[in-house]
Amino acid sequence: MKLVKSLLLGSAAGLTVVAAAHAADLPIKKAAPVEYVRVCSTHGAGFFYIPGTDTCLRVSGRARFQATYLQAYSRSGDLTGYQGLGRLNLDARTSTAYGTLRAFVRMDLSYGSGPFLASGTARLGGTGFPALGVDTFGRVTNGVNLDKAFIQFAGFTAGRAASFFDFYAHDLEFIGSSLGSDNSSTNLLAYTATFGQGFSATLSMEDPILRKTPIYGSASGGSTFTGFQVFQPGAGNFTPVIGTNALGQPIIADYDVVQRIRMPDFVGALRYDAAWGSAQVSALVHEINAANASGVRSIAGVSTVGAVAPRPATEYGWAIQGGLKLNMPFIAPGDLLYLQGSYGEGTTRTTGYNMWLGSYTNFASLATGTTFGTSLVDAVVDPLTGKLDLSTSWTVTAAYLHYWAPEWRSAVFGSYGEMSYGKASRANLGFVNQLAGFTTGPLPSPFAPGFAFTNQLRDTNQIVAGASLIWSPVRDLDIGIEGNYARLALQNGRAIDQNKAPGVSAASIVNVVNGQPVIAGGGVLPTTNATDTFQIRMRVQRDF
């Protein structure tokens, strides 16, 4: 037994020696050196080198809760709304012989409900989609928005970025409410030349779709004086134009006025930056176009054979804007003042007249059940001439930020604007609206009794003002409240008070007595020339 045990131990020892000898002959793979993240101070605080590269990256973001209350005049509208928002920023920069090569990406994810926070503008602009339930349809929005994705190199900016036309862009507001341009994200290709001493100039070619507001029209051919909001896929937008048949008799052609993307918006901006603040002058050119006739209608049963009608020709809207930012540390560190004014023709969204009311829509009101709404279109097709008649709008805005203490600050802002339409094109649309239903007898009057009291294509003015108070107990944490007031008024005349006579149209008016509209049976309709509302918002926001 002892002999066997000795043999086994000897064999094991021998195998161990042999194995060790062979192991010594094998190559040893050394562990890869650990590459720790290094701080990159070249481009400012928060940057670090991406391991294995000479590119510096900064990761930042935001989390936000927001609630709002909006005064409404109808039980059919929501009074409160809520929003949760998450944001992620990626900023990558590399030093090159031509200067800094930068790529920036910003993604926003949000879930909002109720007034303003379930954003119809986001849905119409393609950055959100609505819930479809019975209790949520159109009142809850999931937002998935690629807010920024651009490259900057040697003076060029390419990708999705803020429009170079904009200046103040609601920097001091919780949500853009004051009247003024704020196209925070659009696709563009731009070149900026820097001249030194703070001066720079930019020429930008920008995606026109997010600055298009509809041409006045209706859902389908045959509707001639009806404001229409295009919310359904494949819905059309049509407007009537008077033409003639082969015998020279009048007919109506319904033209497709859904605008196609044919030419980019061209933006030019001249800017000056200094220690005291900034100043900018910018201008924009914007194409407005129409397509072909979708069909022809008869008037009083006349033949439509050989029908021809003037085709709306392309027009070019334009806008100009000036802005001034003044730093005011002599009042308190961090204090600043913005002043801005803009004027445009055929560019409602560029002047920002529709910021409170809502973009990309034909018609809107301040809140549910307010006394009247207003048209918000870039152009009207004159049905007698077939020409595009551009709307005119202008806005002025002021905003001031004041620090009461390092952790307490307030902003106050106010704006005023006006919007007007061509008188001839509006009157001619009213005439065609009645002519379309004409069968026999004398031609109808272009001014039916109710024409003066319709809310379509009326000249209006707006006031939007507000103030906020924000507490920042620690760095990058904001807890605040903001109150806004808005007033919409007619420049002249009156409209049916839809709050007191809901659903009653101007077509029901059969007579006007002492300036008051009268319906069949002798009832007098209530009228108004102004409406207003207010909104209160609160926010908890952490930036990192």
Side-chain angles (χ1 to χ4, degrees), residues 29-87:
K29 184 177 181 181
K30 296 181 180 179
V34 177
E35 184 172 358
Y36 295 97
V37 173
R38 294 179 296 131
V39 172
C40 174
S41 59
T42 306
H43 305 288
F47 284 88
F48 61 89
Y49 284 100
I50 299 175
T53 75
D54 58 354
T55 297
C56 299
L57 178 67
R58 184 175 188 272
V59 179
S60 61
R62 168 179 294 172
R64 174 197 294 168
F65 167 78
Q66 189 161 264
T68 185
Y69 170 85
L70 175 67
Q71 180 195 30
Y73 296 84
S74 170
R75 293 179 67 87
S76 63
D78 293 322
L79 297 179
T80 61
Y82 309 91
Q83 184 191 59
L85 180 141
R87 168 175 289 180

Side-chain angles (χ1 to χ4, degrees), residues 64-66 174-175 478-480 537-541:
R64 174 197 294 168
F65 167 78
Q66 189 161 264
F174 280 16
I175 296 179
D478 291 343
I479 303 171
R537 302 169 178 160
M538 68 83 61
R539 171 182 289 179
V540 180
Q541 178 174 296

